[in-house]
Amino acid sequence: MNEEVKKYLDSGLAESYVLGLTTPEERLVAESLVAKYPEFRAEVEAIEIALEELAVSNSVTPPKHLKAQIRDTLFASEKEANQILPEAKIISLNTDNTNSNQQKYKYLVAASFALLALSFSFNVYFTQELNQVKASLNDLKASRDDFASALNI
């Protein structure tokens, strides 16, 4: 037997691999060993067969009446559900509330456009007022400069 295979078999990698207890790296190593070495593959298969035999030998056959009991329980709960909810109600989703909500949104959009127009007109008005105030301030500065130059003469 190859020393590398013997080292891995002694480490318990085959058992861990069969039981699904390996890390992803160990799983890759075990899969490569299974593909590369027939001795390792044989050991893995022997472990799998031993675990199957152990499971079969320790299995318990359920009582015969259990299947009927489970079936009766399932069908009884289904019958009870049909008795509790004998008929489904259909509720229409297209009601007058959706139409009234659409009307509300239309009014809100119209009101927002009206407020936008009002805001624009106030901006234009106050911009004109500001320009007039600036013009009169410039006129006052010019007259002050004229008066100051007249006093200096």
Side-chain angles (χ1 to χ4, degrees), residues 111-125:
S112 64
F113 278 120
L115 286 174
L116 181 65
L118 184 65
S119 172
F120 181 74
S121 62
F122 274 120
N123 284 336
V124 169
Y125 172 76

PDB file of all heavy atoms in Angstrom, residues 111-125:
ATOM      1  N   ALA A 111     -53.424  71.099  -7.177  1.00  0.00           N
ATOM      2  CA  ALA A 111     -53.086  72.083  -6.142  1.00  0.00           C
ATOM      3  C   ALA A 111     -51.588  72.370  -6.139  1.00  0.00           C
ATOM      4  O   ALA A 111     -51.168  73.523  -5.956  1.00  0.00           O
ATOM      5  CB  ALA A 111     -53.529  71.564  -4.772  1.00  0.00           C
ATOM      6  N   SER A 112     -50.764  71.351  -6.368  1.00  0.00           N
ATOM      7  CA  SER A 112     -49.318  71.589  -6.388  1.00  0.00           C
ATOM      8  C   SER A 112     -48.919  72.452  -7.575  1.00  0.00           C
ATOM      9  O   SER A 112     -48.054  73.322  -7.452  1.00  0.00           O
ATOM     10  CB  SER A 112     -48.553  70.264  -6.391  1.00  0.00           C
ATOM     11  OG  SER A 112     -48.822  69.547  -7.574  1.00  0.00           O
ATOM     12  N   PHE A 113     -49.576  72.269  -8.737  1.00  0.00           N
ATOM     13  CA  PHE A 113     -49.287  73.144  -9.881  1.00  0.00           C
ATOM     14  C   PHE A 113     -49.733  74.577  -9.607  1.00  0.00           C
ATOM     15  O   PHE A 113     -49.052  75.536  -9.990  1.00  0.00           O
ATOM     16  CB  PHE A 113     -49.949  72.613 -11.153  1.00  0.00           C
ATOM     17  CG  PHE A 113     -49.168  71.526 -11.813  1.00  0.00           C
ATOM     18  CD1 PHE A 113     -49.723  70.266 -11.983  1.00  0.00           C
ATOM     19  CD2 PHE A 113     -47.880  71.747 -12.267  1.00  0.00           C
ATOM     20  CE1 PHE A 113     -49.004  69.253 -12.588  1.00  0.00           C
ATOM     21  CE2 PHE A 113     -47.151  70.741 -12.881  1.00  0.00           C
ATOM     22  CZ  PHE A 113     -47.713  69.491 -13.043  1.00  0.00           C
ATOM     23  N   ALA A 114     -50.867  74.749  -8.922  1.00  0.00           N
ATOM     24  CA  ALA A 114     -51.339  76.095  -8.589  1.00  0.00           C
ATOM     25  C   ALA A 114     -50.348  76.777  -7.642  1.00  0.00           C
ATOM     26  O   ALA A 114     -50.021  77.965  -7.819  1.00  0.00           O
ATOM     27  CB  ALA A 114     -52.730  76.024  -7.955  1.00  0.00           C
ATOM     28  N   LEU A 115     -49.856  76.042  -6.643  1.00  0.00           N
ATOM     29  CA  LEU A 115     -48.875  76.620  -5.725  1.00  0.00           C
ATOM     30  C   LEU A 115     -47.568  76.953  -6.443  1.00  0.00           C
ATOM     31  O   LEU A 115     -46.921  77.964  -6.141  1.00  0.00           O
ATOM     32  CB  LEU A 115     -48.612  75.668  -4.565  1.00  0.00           C
ATOM     33  CG  LEU A 115     -49.715  75.570  -3.522  1.00  0.00           C
ATOM     34  CD1 LEU A 115     -49.388  74.476  -2.516  1.00  0.00           C
ATOM     35  CD2 LEU A 115     -49.895  76.896  -2.815  1.00  0.00           C
ATOM     36  N   LEU A 116     -47.193  76.155  -7.403  1.00  0.00           N
ATOM     37  CA  LEU A 116     -45.990  76.422  -8.185  1.00  0.00           C
ATOM     38  C   LEU A 116     -46.148  77.698  -8.991  1.00  0.00           C
ATOM     39  O   LEU A 116     -45.230  78.547  -9.025  1.00  0.00           O
ATOM     40  CB  LEU A 116     -45.695  75.240  -9.111  1.00  0.00           C
ATOM     41  CG  LEU A 116     -44.441  75.350  -9.975  1.00  0.00           C
ATOM     42  CD1 LEU A 116     -43.195  75.358  -9.089  1.00  0.00           C
ATOM     43  CD2 LEU A 116     -44.389  74.223 -10.972  1.00  0.00           C
ATOM     44  N   ALA A 117     -47.301  77.905  -9.629  1.00  0.00           N
ATOM     45  CA  ALA A 117     -47.554  79.123 -10.403  1.00  0.00           C
ATOM     46  C   ALA A 117     -47.576  80.346  -9.489  1.00  0.00           C
ATOM     47  O   ALA A 117     -47.023  81.402  -9.825  1.00  0.00           O
ATOM     48  CB  ALA A 117     -48.877  78.995 -11.163  1.00  0.00           C
ATOM     49  N   LEU A 118     -48.180  80.202  -8.318  1.00  0.00           N
ATOM     50  CA  LEU A 118     -48.234  81.316  -7.361  1.00  0.00           C
ATOM     51  C   LEU A 118     -46.827  81.669  -6.882  1.00  0.00           C
ATOM     52  O   LEU A 118     -46.463  82.856  -6.807  1.00  0.00           O
ATOM     53  CB  LEU A 118     -49.132  80.925  -6.181  1.00  0.00           C
ATOM     54  CG  LEU A 118     -49.381  81.986  -5.122  1.00  0.00           C
ATOM     55  CD1 LEU A 118     -50.166  83.144  -5.729  1.00  0.00           C
ATOM     56  CD2 LEU A 118     -50.127  81.399  -3.951  1.00  0.00           C
ATOM     57  N   SER A 119     -46.027  80.662  -6.598  1.00  0.00           N
ATOM     58  CA  SER A 119     -44.657  80.901  -6.171  1.00  0.00           C
ATOM     59  C   SER A 119     -43.859  81.590  -7.263  1.00  0.00           C
ATOM     60  O   SER A 119     -43.089  82.529  -6.993  1.00  0.00           O
ATOM     61  CB  SER A 119     -44.004  79.565  -5.800  1.00  0.00           C
ATOM     62  OG  SER A 119     -42.632  79.737  -5.564  1.00  0.00           O
ATOM     63  N   PHE A 120     -44.037  81.182  -8.517  1.00  0.00           N
ATOM     64  CA  PHE A 120     -43.324  81.808  -9.629  1.00  0.00           C
ATOM     65  C   PHE A 120     -43.707  83.277  -9.768  1.00  0.00           C
ATOM     66  O   PHE A 120     -42.844  84.137  -9.960  1.00  0.00           O
ATOM     67  CB  PHE A 120     -43.634  81.047 -10.928  1.00  0.00           C
ATOM     68  CG  PHE A 120     -42.933  81.601 -12.121  1.00  0.00           C
ATOM     69  CD1 PHE A 120     -41.578  81.403 -12.300  1.00  0.00           C
ATOM     70  CD2 PHE A 120     -43.631  82.335 -13.069  1.00  0.00           C
ATOM     71  CE1 PHE A 120     -40.917  81.920 -13.397  1.00  0.00           C
ATOM     72  CE2 PHE A 120     -42.988  82.861 -14.167  1.00  0.00           C
ATOM     73  CZ  PHE A 120     -41.621  82.645 -14.333  1.00  0.00           C
ATOM     74  N   SER A 121     -45.006  83.580  -9.635  1.00  0.00           N
ATOM     75  CA  SER A 121     -45.438  84.979  -9.779  1.00  0.00           C
ATOM     76  C   SER A 121     -44.883  85.842  -8.640  1.00  0.00           C
ATOM     77  O   SER A 121     -44.472  86.985  -8.862  1.00  0.00           O
ATOM     78  CB  SER A 121     -46.964  85.061  -9.846  1.00  0.00           C
ATOM     79  OG  SER A 121     -47.533  84.572  -8.645  1.00  0.00           O
ATOM     80  N   PHE A 122     -44.847  85.311  -7.410  1.00  0.00           N
ATOM     81  CA  PHE A 122     -44.250  86.068  -6.300  1.00  0.00           C
ATOM     82  C   PHE A 122     -42.759  86.303  -6.550  1.00  0.00           C
ATOM     83  O   PHE A 122     -42.239  87.383  -6.250  1.00  0.00           O
ATOM     84  CB  PHE A 122     -44.444  85.343  -4.963  1.00  0.00           C
ATOM     85  CG  PHE A 122     -45.755  85.635  -4.294  1.00  0.00           C
ATOM     86  CD1 PHE A 122     -46.647  84.617  -4.018  1.00  0.00           C
ATOM     87  CD2 PHE A 122     -46.107  86.932  -3.948  1.00  0.00           C
ATOM     88  CE1 PHE A 122     -47.845  84.890  -3.400  1.00  0.00           C
ATOM     89  CE2 PHE A 122     -47.306  87.211  -3.332  1.00  0.00           C
ATOM     90  CZ  PHE A 122     -48.193  86.181  -3.060  1.00  0.00           C
ATOM     91  N   ASN A 123     -42.070  85.314  -7.075  1.00  0.00           N
ATOM     92  CA  ASN A 123     -40.644  85.488  -7.381  1.00  0.00           C
ATOM     93  C   ASN A 123     -40.420  86.586  -8.411  1.00  0.00           C
ATOM     94  O   ASN A 123     -39.507  87.405  -8.271  1.00  0.00           O
ATOM     95  CB  ASN A 123     -40.041  84.177  -7.884  1.00  0.00           C
ATOM     96  CG  ASN A 123     -39.796  83.193  -6.769  1.00  0.00           C
ATOM     97  OD1 ASN A 123     -39.639  83.572  -5.613  1.00  0.00           O
ATOM     98  ND2 ASN A 123     -39.772  81.913  -7.104  1.00  0.00           N
ATOM     99  N   VAL A 124     -41.244  86.630  -9.444  1.00  0.00           N
ATOM    100  CA  VAL A 124     -41.113  87.678 -10.475  1.00  0.00           C
ATOM    101  C   VAL A 124     -41.379  89.051  -9.865  1.00  0.00           C
ATOM    102  O   VAL A 124     -40.627  90.007 -10.091  1.00  0.00           O
ATOM    103  CB  VAL A 124     -42.069  87.393 -11.654  1.00  0.00           C
ATOM    104  CG1 VAL A 124     -42.160  88.579 -12.598  1.00  0.00           C
ATOM    105  CG2 VAL A 124     -41.616  86.141 -12.399  1.00  0.00           C
ATOM    106  N   TYR A 125     -42.452  89.151  -9.065  1.00  0.00           N
ATOM    107  CA  TYR A 125     -42.809  90.433  -8.452  1.00  0.00           C
ATOM    108  C   TYR A 125     -41.692  90.952  -7.542  1.00  0.00           C
ATOM    109  O   TYR A 125     -41.276  92.105  -7.635  1.00  0.00           O
ATOM    110  CB  TYR A 125     -44.118  90.278  -7.667  1.00  0.00           C
ATOM    111  CG  TYR A 125     -44.464  91.490  -6.837  1.00  0.00           C
ATOM    112  CD1 TYR A 125     -44.977  92.635  -7.431  1.00  0.00           C
ATOM    113  CD2 TYR A 125     -44.280  91.490  -5.457  1.00  0.00           C
ATOM    114  CE1 TYR A 125     -45.288  93.757  -6.674  1.00  0.00           C
ATOM    115  CE2 TYR A 125     -44.584  92.589  -4.696  1.00  0.00           C
ATOM    116  CZ  TYR A 125     -45.089  93.725  -5.307  1.00  0.00           C
ATOM    117  OH  TYR A 125     -45.386  94.828  -4.548  1.00  0.00           O
TER     118      TYR A 125
END
